[in-house]
């Protein structure tokens, strides 16, 4: 949510800002703007809607001269998407310009205080308060650093902010708390941004700022201060992936590219962690003594990562014999979870920045529980805050609707299941070996789900179903959790009303909604429950539903006796089967969205990284 780019150098800033913002589009936004300091003025251009609107307004940036600037894509929180509410915001006297990601919780109080002192406001945003607060203090001291420090001391909430002052156009100040911000070290130029892709074309040397950090920089120099205001050294890390990893590379959409990347991503997650027939997780420090005294495991996350948590319940309970409870991060803090030294809290997040998930992690730590994070984005807030950390190493994921991050998070759960079960001795060696064997070949089986033949099949079925208004996804056991994710995919990118139900629950309500032509996606891969799921399929068919089935090769003939539209996936260990059965559901949602002309990579109202609660 919201993207920030700041540039100081010798090149024209505006095209660089637009380019950087285009790499942050994936975060979700509904307006965009830039501000360039030049010739004793702060020149602002903003436009509601897509970045292309802003770009055409300023001729791709060429129309705005100046070598220092800040840019922003806004995902509306305070005030509707509009030109006025877009960032950057300039303070009342026109001396300070600000872009901001996050929420200033006490902005109304600050706004009243500043209004009483003569400051006027044009927008409804909390960000305009930051600009005026900095200007208020700057008016008194004429010292930028002092003014920003005083302003920050009054601000409550979350923020990544980049600030320009008309009187000192060769300096930029950026501050960060609970919202992502990186600093990019260039040659004769420096950058700040919400995420690496925004500046990767210009530098690979980045530093992930800590909470409370402030950086004061020119084109040649940067001073870093920590939360206590002490000057500190922040080392540059070298980004080892290429910009092409964050570009479409010939695919029509990032989503289909990332679907295709899943075998490689899964291999990248799993294979370095299997050595000599054992799962080796050097990155974490869970001992047998610690695990033996555990009474409960929570898995806390949002969105698709939460559905990985739902799958983790089946997988970890079966292999480790520990009670596992998946909890939505937005509910976790307020449900008074039973936390203590005997509780392990597994936090799952692609971005590592999701506000609710980060808050849940902090709450778990505050209550004395050990936290283990499964994160994709290196150096993100959750990665830094957790006691133990396992990176998914999926590479950058750009499409808002996750695919490869989901698959790699699930792969980490398998690894953890084997690792913990080995320490606790809860799995017979034969079973451990059987799962490990399948895990080592999982990437190849996932690849078999994405063959050209399968793509054409899914495209064909999408053509049959793309006009439906409602869909239901049903399955049992792990299949029911796969249904949750498949249903979410269809909702988020194809805008079709869709619900997922444990198949056995159908008769307790949802079956009343089944009528002629309702789409029911039935996932039936769990051998012991196949017949039961098929009974549910027959029940909905009898009421007119159009059923699309997903099963393993073993049950293909059986399911075809009842269901005419069927896609099969290869068979693997039952606990690993979700990694295969999710693929046709991702593809079905993708092709249906394509046929409905939806904005697949940037679905309406959604954001990749949800940094507000
Ligand atoms: C958003 C994304 C989802 C993601 C969820 C949690 O809703 O669109 O794809 O699953 O946030 O994000 P996280 O970065 O914490 O995994």
């Amino acid at each position: 949510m919201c993207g920030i780019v700041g540039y100081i150098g010798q090149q024209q800033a505006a095209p660089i800002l637009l380019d950087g913002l285009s790499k942050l589009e994936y975060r979700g936004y509904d307006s965009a703007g830039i501000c360039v300091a030049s010739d004793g003025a702060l020149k602002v251009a903003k436009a509601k809607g897509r970045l292309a609107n802003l770009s055409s307004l300023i001729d791709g940036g060429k129309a705005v001269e100046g070598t220092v600037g800040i840019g922003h894509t806004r995902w509306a929180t305070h005030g509707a998407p509009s030109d006025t509410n877009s960032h950057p915001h300039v303070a009342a006297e026109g001396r300070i310009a600000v872009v901001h990601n996050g929420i200033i919780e006490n902005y109304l109080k600050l706004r009243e205080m500043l209004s009483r002192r003569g400051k006027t406001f044009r927008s409804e945003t909390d960000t305009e308060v930051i600009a005026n607060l900095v200007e208020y203090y700057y008016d008194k001291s004429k010292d930028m650093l002092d003014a920003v420090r005083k302003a920050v001391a009054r601000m409550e909430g979350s923020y990544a902010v980049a600030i320009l002052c008309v009187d000192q156009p060769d300096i930029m100040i950026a501050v960060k708390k609970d919202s992502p911000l990186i600093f990019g070290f260039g040659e004769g130029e420096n950058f700040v941004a919400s995420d690496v892709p925004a500046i990767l074309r210009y530098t690979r040397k980045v530093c992930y700022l800590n909470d409370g950090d402030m950086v004061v920089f020119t084109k040649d120099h940067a001073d870093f201060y920590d939360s206590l205001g002490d000057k500190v050294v922040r080392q540059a890390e070298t980004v080892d992936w290429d910009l092409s990893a964050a570009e479409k590379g010939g695919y029509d959409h990032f989503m289909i590219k990332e679907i295709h990347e899943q075998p490689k991503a899964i291999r990248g997650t799993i294979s370095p962690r299997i050595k000599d027939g054992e799962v080796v997780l050097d990155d974490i420090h869970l001992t047998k003594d610690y695990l033996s005294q555990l009474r409960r495991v929570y898995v806390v996350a949002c969105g698709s990562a939460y559905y990985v948590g739902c799958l983790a319940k089946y997988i970890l309970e079966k292999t480790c014999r520990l009670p596992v409870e998946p909890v939505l991060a937005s509910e976790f803090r307020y449900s008074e979870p039973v936390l203590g030294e005997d509780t392990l809290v597994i936090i799952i997040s692609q971005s590592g920045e999701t506000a609710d998930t980060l808050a849940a992690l902090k709450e778990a730590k505050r209550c004395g529980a050990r936290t283990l994070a499964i994160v994709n984005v290196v150096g993100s807030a959750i990665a830094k805050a957790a006691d133990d950390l396992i990176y998914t190493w999926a590479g950058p994921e750009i499409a808002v609707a996750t695919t490869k991050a989901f698959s790699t998070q699930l792969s980490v759960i398998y690894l953890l299941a084997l690792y913990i079960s080995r320490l606790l001795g809860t799995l017979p060696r034969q079973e451990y070996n059987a799962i490990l064997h399948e895990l080592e070949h999982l990437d190849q089986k996932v690849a078999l789900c994405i063959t050209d033949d399968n793509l054409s099949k899914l495209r064909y079925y999408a053509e049959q179903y793309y006009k439906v208004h409602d869909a239901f996804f049903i399955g049992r056991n792990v299949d029911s959790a796969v249904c949750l994710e498949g249903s979410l995919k269809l909702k988020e990118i194809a805008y079709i009303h869709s619900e997922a139900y444990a198949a056995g629950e159908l008769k307790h309500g949802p079956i009343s909604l089944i009528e002629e032509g309702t789409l029911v996606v039935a996932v039936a891969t769990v051998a012991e429950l196949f017949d039961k799921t098929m009974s549910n399929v027959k029940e909905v068919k009898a009421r007119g539903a159009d059923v699309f089935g997903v099963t393993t090769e073993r049950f293909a003939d059986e399911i075809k006796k009842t269901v005419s539209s069927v896609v099969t996936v290869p068979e693997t260990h039952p606990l690993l089967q979700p990694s295969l059965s999710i693929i046709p559901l991702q593809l079905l949602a993708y092709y249906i969205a394509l046929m409905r002309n939806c904005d697949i990579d940037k679905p309406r109202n959604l954001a990749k990284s949800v940094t507000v609660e």
Side-chain angles (χ1 to χ4, degrees), residues 110-296:
L110 293 172
R111 190 174 163 130
E112 277 166 24
M113 186 272 280
L114 290 163
S115 299
R116 282 200 299 276
R117 286 164 174 77
K119 293 286 181 197
T120 51
F121 294 85
R122 286 173 283 256
S123 77
E124 301 156 75
T125 64
D126 50 341
T127 305
E128 199 180 0
V129 169
I130 305 177
N132 277 299
L133 194 60
V134 174
E135 190 179 71
Y136 171 76
Y137 289 118
Y138 179 75
D139 288 347
K140 290 174 186 278
S141 64
K142 295 291 171 214
D143 179 338
M144 250 290 254
L145 179 57
D146 174 71
V148 174
R149 276 205 172 124
K150 287 191 170 129
V152 165
R154 303 294 301 268
M155 284 154 45
E156 290 167 17
S158 59
Y159 46 82
V161 182
I163 307 163
L164 289 180
C165 174
V166 73
D167 298 337
Q168 299 174 48
D170 51 349
I171 292 181
M172 190 180 303
I173 298 186
V175 289
K176 171 205 147 63
K177 179 176 162 273
D178 291 339
S179 286
L181 197 66
I182 58 162
F183 183 82
F185 300 83
E187 297 283 325
E189 55 187 6
N190 283 313
F191 306 80
V192 280
S194 301
D195 198 0
V196 175
I199 59 172
L200 198 53
R201 175 168 288 169
Y202 312 98
T203 181
R204 287 182 167 279
K205 292 202 162 63
V206 305
C207 153
Y208 299 84
L209 296 179
N210 288 343
D211 273 343
D213 273 5
M214 174 184 294
V215 52
V216 183
F217 61 106
T218 65
K219 65 183 173 53
D220 304 306
H221 184 75
D223 285 327
F224 295 89
Y225 300 89
D226 67 10
S227 54
L228 294 174
D230 290 336
K231 217 174 201 176
V232 286
V233 176
R234 292 275 179 254
Q235 299 292 354
E237 291 177 35
T238 304
V239 177
D240 61 2
W241 47 269
D242 212 59
L243 195 56
S244 64
E247 284 175 347
K248 281 190 212 146
Y251 289 95
D252 289 340
H253 298 96
F254 281 110
M255 185 178 175
I256 190 72
K257 175 183 178 233
E258 289 159 5
I259 287 175
H260 278 90
E261 283 172 350
Q262 289 179 108
K264 183 168 168 245
I266 288 171
R267 191 160 57 248
T269 306
I270 293 174
S271 44
R273 287 161 170 147
I274 298 181
K275 288 176 194 139
D276 303 325
E278 297 289 349
V279 170
V280 182
L281 296 178
D282 287 333
D283 6 23
I284 63 172
H285 310 280
L286 303 181
T287 60
K288 184 177 177 183
D289 285 349
Y290 167 75
L291 292 167
S292 308
Q293 57 86 48
L294 276 183
R295 288 166 65 92
R296 192 198 304 257

Side-chain angles (χ1 to χ4, degrees), residues 560-581:
K560 279 178 189 158
K561 289 181 191 158
T562 318
V563 180
S564 51
S565 309
V566 175
V567 164
T568 57
V569 293
E571 191 143 351
T572 178
H573 187 280
L575 290 179
L576 273 51
Q577 201 65 53
S579 289
L580 306 181
S581 26

Side-chain angles (χ1 to χ4, degrees), residues 7-14 36-38 64-69 169 219:
Y7 173 78
I8 295 196
Q10 298 158 57
Q11 307 182 56
Q12 192 176 8
V36 173
S38 138
V64 186
E65 281 180 19
T67 58
V68 177
K219 65 183 173 53

Side-chain angles (χ1 to χ4, degrees), residues 302-305 348-352 354 357 400-402 409 492 607-608 610:
C302 299
S304 297
I348 308 180
S349 175
Q350 187 285 130
S351 63
T354 304
T357 313
V400 167
T402 178
Q409 287 161 356
E492 46 182 6
K608 177 103 191 125
V610 182

